[in-house]
Amino acid sequence: MKAAAIEAPQRYKRYLTWIFFVVLIVVCAIQTEVTPYQLIVGLPQMGTLLAEMVPPDWSYLPTIWKPMVETIQIALVGTMLGGILAIPFALLCAYNVMPNRAVSVPVRLILNLVRTVPDLLFAAIFVAIFGIGPFAGMLAIMFFSFGLIAKLTFEAIESIDPGPLEAMTAVGANKIQLIMFGVLPQAMPHYMSYLLYAFEVNVRAASVLGLVGAGGIGLLLDRSLGLFRYDRAAIIILLTLVIVLVIDYGSTILRRKLL
Amino acid sequence: MNTLTTKPLWYRLRPWVWIILLIAVYLWAFNGLNFEGVQSTAKSVSLSIIDGFAHPDWDYVYDPEGEDLLRGLLDTLIISILGTFVSAFLCIPFAFWAAANISRLRAISGTGKVVLSVIRVFPEMIVAILFIKAVGPGSFAGVLALGVHSVGMLAKLYSESIETIDPGPSEALTAAGASKLQVLWFAVLPQVIPQFLSYSLYRFEINMRSATTLGLVGAGGIGTPLLFALQMRNWNRVGVILLGIIILVVLTDLISGWIRKRIV
């Protein structure tokens, strides 16, 4: 009986949703002049591009090794600094640590604002301030991972077991003691795992920061593509792929040990 | 007490080994960044950036003729909608390929999973650059880049939701003599479509963020005017564009979150 009552409106709603989707797609396609025809014309060009990438220019490998290492260093330092910065902010905006909404709500707002700014935009702004180089990239990664880690960590803090906190409050612990012995031990494994996750994301992000002049491998990629050296671009992409895979694999193992 | 002291040396040393290793890694990383100090112009540039952000170029928001903020943002929105749409369809075959309960052979789903993780590790900017080289700069390259890049993550989520479906309906259909296609259409798809939609919406939110920067490499959207404004050090305009991006991202997050809540 109940199922029948739900059935009818659901079907009608489903049709409406599909019609809405189709109309949306058609309008969007007309607006940007994206047509299947273009795709069919473009695909062979894509094929020639890929064909020019083989064989990759292996002799270029020693040249790109140093920028690749720099990319990892940017990601490492940026993630760590952003992660450290994230701890006080995460504590400030978790409702169970900071019940005072006048503090936690504005801090949350700041975090949300930071997370809406794309990492490349951060990088472009820092390049303007600090000049071209890896330092600007590191700062961009730092702000980017700060937003990410702080958000994930405060959610983890809010979901901790309230028992130990209540017990500590009952015996008269102050706020600092509460955080040190009640909150941090419970939230630490989650925080470390988010740090690792942010590092994985950041290695990928750092590999394109060079496009706006913020150091790392992206600069060389941009240059080889600009010079139509697709064989060199191919080796850069391959190396990035290998590094990212190795780091992903390593951090998956580490994370499994943590949690 | 006794058990503590008889622990192997390695167990007592292990935390310290980790800490020393970490410190070494970070020393190495800090050394590599060769910080050359703050530029002499940093202060004046920072001040003009702050000044620019405080006084956004409101004239840029709507310009009856030519490029303006609203058109750029609309373009960005469309790129992410179309990109999500392309990947939502493109990844259905990949999802069935990678789902362990669809194919009988473990090797088939295994290779599917490997293919997906390979697609996933390509940064979307690199995908975008490749498509720009193929189809020329513009929104189309952006749509294709988002569409292809998203397949990696979306198909993985799709295949996971296929793996968790209730096997009852498909068994019943098979028993009644339905073909493989009929089983897919009438038993599998109805169960997974709500989750597919919800994941696509989630991906749409991510794509929205990426679409704002795709233009920095020439793939359409608000990023292209942003790049020009950054290069000309026109901070008032950068300020208004940044404001526009933030509003657009927040709005799309809110709307898609609301839709997602209604679907699931």
Side-chain angles (χ1 to χ4, degrees), chain A residues 5-17:
Chain A
I6 293 168
E7 193 72 25
Q10 237 182 6
R11 174 163 296 179
Y12 137 85
K13 231 195 309 194
R14 191 182 298 162
Y15 287 142
L16 261 188
T17 318

Side-chain angles (χ1 to χ4, degrees), chain B residues 177-214:
Chain B
S179 70
K180 195 103 187 162
L181 208 66
Q182 283 171 320
V183 171
L184 270 186
W185 190 254
F186 293 106
V188 180
L189 276 185
Q191 289 191 61
V192 292
I193 276 189
Q195 270 168 315
F196 280 14
L197 284 178
S198 151
Y199 287 138
S200 304
L201 274 170
Y202 172 58
R203 188 65 218 188
F204 167 66
E205 289 170 32
I206 299 174
N207 281 349
M208 191 70 239
R209 287 181 162 78
S210 318
T212 55
T213 49
L214 279 178

Side-chain angles (χ1 to χ4, degrees), chain A:
Chain A
M1 191 61 214
K2 202 182 165 208
I6 293 168
E7 193 72 25
Q10 237 182 6
R11 174 163 296 179
Y12 137 85
K13 231 195 309 194
R14 191 182 298 162
Y15 287 142
L16 261 188
T17 318
W18 284 114
I19 291 170
F20 170 74
F21 268 126
V22 171
V23 169
L24 185 73
I25 297 307
V26 171
V27 168
C28 287
I30 291 170
Q31 179 72 26
T32 45
E33 290 156 7
V34 172
T35 54
Y37 169 73
Q38 245 186 319
L39 181 63
I40 294 161
V41 174
L43 272 182
Q45 280 173 286
M46 191 75 197
T48 37
L49 178 75
L50 288 177
E52 275 182 57
M53 286 188 162
V54 228
D57 182 5
W58 295 102
S59 64
Y60 200 47
L61 201 57
T63 324
I64 59 174
W65 188 250
K66 207 174 156 281
M68 194 67 229
V69 168
E70 192 180 74
T71 303
I72 300 172
Q73 287 170 328
I74 290 173
L76 261 175
V77 176
T79 311
M80 184 187 68
L81 294 182
I84 292 173
L85 198 65
I87 296 175
F89 278 85
L91 286 171
L92 275 180
C93 66
Y95 286 149
N96 53 351
V97 177
M98 179 55 72
N100 185 357
R101 296 285 156 109
V103 178
S104 49
V105 171
V107 175
R108 274 180 190 214
L109 208 66
I110 294 173
L111 282 185
N112 281 332
L113 279 185
V114 170
R115 271 186 311 117
T116 48
V117 182
D119 44 359
L120 268 180
L121 183 54
F122 271 130
I125 291 174
F126 285 124
V127 164
I129 301 177
F130 295 101
I132 288 173
F135 187 71
M138 190 279 286
L139 282 180
I141 293 290
M142 180 181 122
F143 272 88
F144 177 70
S145 40
F146 159 69
L148 182 69
I149 298 173
K151 159 112 198 301
L152 292 170
T153 309
F154 95 69
E155 281 171 359
I157 292 177
E158 287 198 334
S159 64
I160 60 173
D161 177 13
L165 304 189
E166 279 163 19
M168 287 180 69
T169 320
V171 295
N174 65 23
K175 203 93 205 167
I176 308 274
Q177 286 169 324
L178 202 70
I179 290 170
M180 283 298 290
F181 302 106
V183 178
L184 285 188
Q186 286 192 64
M188 217 50 193
H190 294 281
Y191 170 75
M192 295 304 276
S193 120
Y194 296 143
L195 207 64
L196 275 172
Y197 167 67
F199 176 59
E200 278 173 47
V201 175
N202 286 343
V203 172
R204 259 165 256 199
S207 66
V208 291
L209 285 180
L211 295 175
V212 294
I217 193 82
L219 181 69
L220 285 178
L221 179 68
D222 198 31
R223 197 180 291 159
S224 352
L225 285 170
L227 296 170
F228 302 104
R229 288 298 304 265
Y230 295 121
D231 50 344
R232 287 188 169 176
I235 188 78
I236 293 176
I237 293 171
L238 277 180
L239 184 65
T240 314
L241 209 66
V242 170
I243 296 281
V244 168
L245 276 177
V246 167
I247 286 176
D248 278 12
Y249 185 68
S251 84
T252 310
I253 292 176
L254 272 180
R255 200 158 38 204
R256 207 168 289 157
K257 280 192 172 175
L258 276 172
L259 287 179

